[in-house]
Amino acid sequence: MRRFIVKGIKIIFNKSIKKNPSSIILIHPPVLPFHDYKIIRRYNNYILKKTISKKVKHYDIKNPILITTTPIIPELIGKLGETSSYYICLDDFTKFDGAFKCIGNLEKELLNNVYACFAVSNSLMQSRKPASGNVFFLPQGVDTDHFQQINNKIPDKIRDIKNPIVGYFGLLASYIDLDLIVDCAKAYPDFSFVILGRYNVDISILNNLENIHYLGEVPYNNLPSYAKYFDVGIIPFKINELTIVSNPLKLLEYLALGIPVVSTKLPEVEKFKDNVFIAENNKQFIELLSEAVKDNQNDKKESRKKIAEKYSWYTITCNLSNIIENIEKSKSYNNNKRL
């Protein structure tokens, strides 16, 4: 998400960025991750307020606007000298394994105080409406340039893995159907299944088949060098309360690579049903893999890349900027009208 914020700042303030690249100021306040404790939250809020306010003053920033992607800072709204505050809701954080108990209440408090909310799925738009009533759909974005970069050197870890390659990259968590991946590998012993990413669950089940290759976590900068060799990208999400409100970024990243995608039936993925293989159940997911492997014609690859370009970070952040700009102009107009 840090990539989103940095790119968003570049787009929203593009004129000043061109003149002065140092206009992007990254700060790293030493906050503590024990948010369920009020005393810790007070400390974090104090550190955040002190650090941000110091930078705002130092750089003489006029009329700052606060945009947050974390729901745990409602106590800071209105205390940073901002003219407006906005919340970008990326997930239902209350449904994550090990989620802090306080997140639900803090998010409700945040929604009562921000001027508008941007949500990455229709479901989140319905459940995360701010008191102002201003809620907007903000789809995921993708760094198309990054995933279309050309690097002809094959990474050593994937060099000797035979085609076709069915690939997945991302966190291996409880919402990933590892059993489905194993069933796919059993159904297609001649396919190679390459898994990239860190994990926070037991993944020993992936070690039982020779055609499943868990390669571990790959740095984001190197990810395209591996994923470009995928013949198919998969999204084997379980269907539950967490995933039905999600908008998996990896869908756009797969499309940016030009590769066919097989996914379980997620609401936000269904919006791409004309260009993605979507399975009603696990049996169909397995069946669709054989179709997807054959769907790699050059014209299909280019078509997928063009779809991804519609969701580039540039496009997404321009839309965000335009909405906020229109809101701020409307507020100024109404204030002047009252005067």
Side-chain angles (χ1 to χ4, degrees), residues 251-259 261 272 275 304-305 307-308:
L251 168 62
L252 295 174
E253 293 173 335
Y254 289 153
L255 293 176
L257 290 161
I259 61 176
V261 182
F272 297 82
N275 299 281
R304 295 184 191 107
K305 290 179 181 179
I307 292 170

Side-chain angles (χ1 to χ4, degrees), residues 193-209:
F193 290 78
V194 171
I195 314 297
L196 305 171
R198 59 188 177 88
Y199 59 89
N200 60 19
V201 293
D202 180 7
I203 63 168
S204 58
I205 190 175
L206 300 178
N207 299 325
N208 297 331
L209 294 174

Side-chain angles (χ1 to χ4, degrees), residues 6 22 47 61 66 74 78 95 104 111 123 125 148-150 171 177 197 215 236 262-263 274 292 297 308 322 337:
V6 172
S22 64
I47 292 297
I61 299 174
L66 172 65
K95 296 297 190 297
L111 288 167
S123 296
M125 283 183 66
Q148 293 174 13
Q149 63 184 352
I150 298 175
L171 177 65
D177 196 337
L215 304 185
V262 179
S263 175
D274 293 335
Q297 303 88 342
N322 289 335
K337 191 174 180 181

Side-chain angles (χ1 to χ4, degrees), residues 3-223:
R3 298 195 300 273
F4 174 83
I5 296 299
V6 172
K7 290 178 182 292
I9 292 172
K10 286 183 178 180
I11 300 302
I12 294 173
F13 304 107
N14 61 336
K15 292 182 180 179
S16 60
I17 293 300
K18 290 178 181 177
K19 295 177 181 178
N20 179 16
S22 64
S23 295
I24 297 178
I25 306 157
L26 295 179
I27 59 176
H28 304 280
V31 297
L32 300 175
F34 309 105
H35 304 295
D36 280 332
Y37 298 94
K38 289 184 179 180
I39 189 169
I40 298 296
R41 294 205 302 273
R42 290 195 189 101
Y43 164 79
N44 288 340
N45 289 333
Y46 170 77
I47 292 297
L48 286 169
K49 181 181 177 182
K50 180 179 179 180
T51 306
I52 295 173
S53 297
K54 184 177 180 180
K55 292 296 181 181
V56 168
K57 183 178 180 180
H58 176 77
Y59 289 97
D60 194 27
I61 299 174
K62 306 295 184 183
N63 302 318
I65 293 174
L66 172 65
I67 303 175
T68 179
T69 60
T70 174
I72 59 175
I73 63 162
E75 294 97 337
L76 288 178
I77 302 298
K79 297 180 180 178
L80 296 172
E82 73 274 15
T83 57
S84 295
S85 54
Y86 298 88
Y87 173 42
I88 299 177
C89 183
L90 301 169
D91 274 301
D92 185 345
F93 297 105
T94 65
K95 296 297 190 297
F96 280 100
D97 293 337
F100 294 106
K101 296 177 182 179
C102 64
I103 286 183
N105 289 331
L106 290 176
E107 188 174 46
K108 289 178 182 177
E109 186 179 346
L110 182 75
L111 288 167
N112 282 334
N113 290 286
V114 295
Y115 195 80
C117 174
F118 297 87
V120 299
S121 71
N122 290 341
S123 296
L124 287 173
M125 283 183 66
Q126 297 300 316
S127 61
R128 293 327 191 255
K129 290 183 179 179
S132 66
N134 296 321
V135 59
F136 303 91
F137 177 63
L138 184 72
Q140 291 278 22
V142 60
D143 189 342
T144 51
D145 292 338
H146 180 67
F147 282 91
Q148 293 174 13
Q149 63 184 352
I150 298 175
N151 184 348
N152 293 322
K153 184 179 179 181
I154 304 176
D156 292 338
K157 287 183 178 181
I158 204 170
R159 183 186 302 276
D160 297 325
I161 296 177
K162 69 176 184 178
N163 294 324
I165 293 177
V166 176
Y168 170 86
F169 56 71
L171 177 65
L172 294 169
S174 61
Y175 55 84
I176 301 299
D177 196 337
L178 298 179
D179 290 324
L180 175 56
I181 295 176
V182 170
D183 289 342
C184 288
K186 288 179 179 178
Y188 300 100
D190 294 330
F191 290 8
S192 298
F193 290 78
V194 171
I195 314 297
L196 305 171
R198 59 188 177 88
Y199 59 89
N200 60 19
V201 293
D202 180 7
I203 63 168
S204 58
I205 190 175
L206 300 178
N207 299 325
N208 297 331
L209 294 174
E210 291 185 358
N211 62 331
I212 296 181
H213 307 269
Y214 173 66
L215 304 185
E217 186 174 10
V218 173
Y220 178 74
N221 287 339
N222 299 336
L223 185 57

